[in-house]
Amino acid sequence: MKNKSAEILIGAAVCALTSLVLAAGASVTINQIDEKGVGKSLGTVKIEDSKEGLVVMTDLKGLAPGHHGLHVHENAGCEPKEKDGKMVAGLAAGAHYDPGKTGKHEGPKGMGHLGDLPSLVVDKDGNAKLRLIAPRLKVADLNGRALMIHEGGDNFSDTPKPLGGGGNRIACGVIK
């Protein structure tokens, strides 16, 4: 019985330490993705908690200039999966993170799913070095999920196209 108590105490200590590390922040490597798999690194995204909410600091290179949708997806995977007989980049990440099952896409300040992050704006040289705020999220919400960059911009609406019109998934990283 003493061994079982010791195992429980050790397990609780590991969980507590993991929570402290997650609360402090995390660094996520973002890689190119396509229907064949996960490719080269484009840089990192650091996440940390603040009074304002989740702070997302991007340091990325090699993206197409312009606005890109940036979202938290529900699964910790960036690999392609098959859909309707065709391989789709990053489909292992699943859908946008929506723990409240709202089914709505309303942006980081709206009352829809929590996976909406502010838009990623890439400069003319393909770089994105930004500080973004997601007021409804915390680092602890993101463990075991994926951070996804979409090909196009995001209008934070489901019209005229679903999920903000961001289109194809082009880069991804697993949040650990």
Side-chain angles (χ1 to χ4, degrees):
M1 197 65 162
K2 287 182 183 180
N3 285 342
K4 193 69 168 168
S5 296
E7 288 175 16
I8 291 170
L9 284 174
I10 291 169
V14 168
C15 287
L17 287 173
T18 301
S19 295
L20 286 173
V21 169
L22 288 175
S27 182
V28 182
T29 300
I30 302 295
N31 294 294
Q32 281 182 326
I33 58 171
D34 63 21
E35 68 281 349
K36 295 176 187 161
V38 177
K40 72 176 184 171
S41 172
L42 300 174
T44 59
V45 173
K46 292 184 180 172
I47 54 175
E48 62 186 42
D49 291 326
S50 77
K51 289 187 253 177
E52 303 166 283
L54 184 73
V55 178
V56 179
M57 295 164 287
T58 66
D59 189 4
L60 302 169
K61 297 175 182 178
L63 291 162
H67 289 260
H68 296 271
L70 179 63
H71 304 107
V72 176
H73 282 243
E74 61 190 353
N75 302 325
C78 294
E79 298 77 17
K81 284 183 89 176
E82 188 174 327
K83 180 178 180 183
D84 300 327
K86 182 179 173 186
M87 295 303 285
V88 177
L91 200 57
H96 291 183
Y97 177 51
D98 189 11
K101 308 230 182 292
T102 67
K104 296 179 183 177
H105 186 70
E106 297 179 350
K109 294 180 182 176
M111 297 311 294
H113 61 73
L114 290 176
D116 281 343
L117 298 175
S119 290
L120 182 69
V121 181
V122 178
D123 70 20
K124 65 180 177 54
D125 297 319
N127 303 313
K129 193 161 181 126
L130 305 167
R131 182 181 187 273
L132 308 168
I133 303 292
R136 300 185 307 138
L137 285 170
K138 294 181 180 182
V139 173
D141 297 328
L142 306 184
N143 187 34
R145 308 209 182 285
L147 195 57
M148 187 71 65
I149 299 172
H150 292 266
E151 182 176 49
D154 188 340
N155 69 3
F156 302 121
S157 173
D158 286 315
T159 58
K161 293 184 179 178
L163 301 172
N168 295 331
R169 300 167 183 208
I170 61 166
C172 180
V174 173
I175 304 163
K176 299 176 186 175

